[in-house]
Amino acid sequence: MTIQLYGFWRSNAAFRVRVALALKQLPFDEIEVDILSGRQFDADYAELNAEHVVPTFVHEGHRIFQSLAIMEYLDEIKPEPRLLPADVKERAYARSLALVSVADAHPLVVPRVRKYLGAAFGADAAAIESWCRHWAAEGLATYERLLSRRPAAPFALGDEPTIADICIAGQVIAGALYQLDMTPFPNVAMLTKHCFELPAFADAHPFRQPGYKA
Ligand SMILES: N[C@@H](CCC(=O)N[C@@H](CS)C(=O)NCC(=O)O)C(=O)O
């Protein structure tokens, strides 16, 4: 099975896919697309990914984009260990948790949004940083409310990590990138402590990728 992942060290969405691949023990080659330097708009990459974002996942020549779609695809081509629960209600809950970050919190802090805040509204670097800190914290606060209603045991859905934990861990990384204090989010911190004890999560962390810049 040949797998290529077009990603970037700082990309939260690429982090999700790296964790999923590692949990599935699927080897892959990662190809860097420096989204901070605008390489996502290069003609070659734009041909591969019409949305001009990472990640793009290529499996035996077949391309897939959107991290959640990629993780679900991986679960279908290699069902064990499961990233989505077998039970239909649990599966829906795992997707709901995942989408809090994927669909609601993370899209507010991506480079194209940060760039547009400056270009369209004259936001300076401090204002953009404040925007990102706010939305990263909102995502964590939502997860904290959800995990206080249904505590992790030790992962969000039970004994094994699922797409929910991957996306919650990604939101914690967004918080780390903006130096957020995790004290108000103890349930989230405890859950992700368990996640990052696993090499699949720890090794996929943006701070451990080639090209990482503090
Ligand atoms: N919902 C998408 C997010 C894709 C996305 O926005 N990726 C970011 C990096 S995490 C990106 O490539 N941004 C480029 C830009 O905003 O110009 C997914 O989960 O794959």
Side-chain angles (χ1 to χ4, degrees):
M1 183 178 314
T2 62
I3 294 177
Q4 286 102 31
L5 178 68
Y6 290 79
F8 186 57
W9 70 265
R10 198 180 199 275
S11 163
N12 213 289
F15 161 79
R16 295 175 200 131
V17 177
R18 281 196 298 270
V19 178
L21 284 163
L23 288 170
K24 297 283 188 187
Q25 297 189 322
L26 290 170
F28 62 100
D29 294 319
E30 185 159 355
I31 301 144
E32 183 189 76
V33 181
D34 183 346
I35 56 171
L36 297 178
S37 304
R39 298 280 72 83
Q40 66 273 36
F41 302 108
D42 287 357
D44 285 2
Y45 188 69
E47 172 58 30
L48 203 64
N49 186 308
E51 201 187 356
H52 306 157
V53 296
V54 292
T56 304
F57 170 90
V58 185
H59 174 214
E60 290 167 354
H62 180 73
R63 281 178 246 167
I64 307 176
F65 65 108
Q66 286 290 341
S67 59
L68 195 55
I70 298 166
M71 291 192 289
E72 295 215 12
Y73 177 81
L74 289 175
D75 224 33
E76 284 166 18
I77 62 167
K78 188 166 188 215
E80 295 297 332
R82 297 191 70 106
L83 297 180
L84 285 107
D87 176 79
V88 67
K89 291 189 178 67
E90 289 290 88
R91 194 154 66 242
Y93 183 56
R95 287 190 177 113
S96 303
L97 285 174
L99 284 163
V100 168
S101 185
V102 173
D104 295 346
H106 171 238
L108 291 163
V109 302
V110 293
R112 60 196 178 282
V113 169
R114 302 201 300 267
K115 202 159 35 160
Y116 191 68
L117 286 170
F121 307 109
D124 61 13
I128 295 170
E129 177 91 4
S130 166
W131 166 281
C132 292
R133 288 173 66 83
H134 173 79
W135 292 115
E138 282 292 306
L140 291 171
T142 302
Y143 279 134
E144 184 61 26
R145 289 194 298 278
L146 286 159
L147 294 177
S148 28
R149 286 179 194 190
R150 175 173 166 180
F155 297 104
L157 277 289
D159 288 339
E160 302 297 333
T162 66
I163 55 167
D165 306 282
I166 295 174
C167 297
I168 295 170
Q171 193 60 33
V172 167
I173 287 170
L177 285 166
Y178 293 105
Q179 286 106 38
L180 291 186
D181 174 15
M182 286 298 292
T183 313
F185 317 115
N187 284 290
V188 177
M190 181 55 74
L191 168 75
T192 48
K193 178 180 168 297
H194 289 296
C195 291
F196 285 110
E197 281 167 2
L198 301 177
F201 282 76
D203 295 344
H205 196 294
F207 298 171
R208 290 180 67 168
Q209 303 313 302
Y212 161 68
K213 287 192 192 75

